[in-house]
Amino acid sequence: EFPFAPPGAPRRLEGRETIEAYLAGYTDKLNVLSVHDVTVHQTTAPDVIVAELAVSGRRVPTDAPYTARYVAVLTISGGLIQHYRDYWNPLDLGSDAEAAL
């Protein structure tokens, strides 16, 4: 789920095939070079993880740098992600936000 998705971008994806299609071509748009500033918060629910993180890299078409910050809420069951809610600001990518989605 993407509660802060910009207009026209999906707010929810379901199923492996849908997620793979959503991410197709991602590396043609953004080159992720590092994941950093990771903080994992304890929750009262043993199957829920809340993490804060930053992702930095380069915009492939322009080679301009970018850094985006995220808060992710994951529900885990049987060692697998059952639900992933991603709180990020698509405006962090500026005019490349729509192209990155």
Side-chain angles (χ1 to χ4, degrees), residues 12-13 31-32 41 57 73 81 93 99:
R12 182 178 176 91
L13 303 172
N31 181 12
V32 174
H41 299 278
V73 180
I81 297 172
L93 294 176

Side-chain angles (χ1 to χ4, degrees), residues 5-6 8 12-13 17-19 36 39 76 85 90 92-93:
R12 182 178 176 91
L13 303 172
E17 290 177 4
T18 303
I19 294 168
H36 52 94
T39 302
I76 309 296
R85 187 175 303 118
D92 282 347
L93 294 176

Side-chain angles (χ1 to χ4, degrees), residues 26-72:
Y26 183 86
T27 56
D28 294 335
K29 299 169 186 160
L30 297 174
N31 181 12
V32 174
L33 299 173
S34 68
V35 177
H36 52 94
D37 300 337
V38 177
T39 302
V40 178
H41 299 278
Q42 288 184 317
T43 69
T44 57
D47 60 339
V48 175
I49 298 168
V50 176
E52 296 179 71
L53 58 126
V55 175
S56 294
R58 314 262 335 150
R59 296 175 175 107
V60 173
T62 63
D63 199 38
Y66 79 91
T67 297
R69 298 197 169 275
Y70 301 82
V71 173

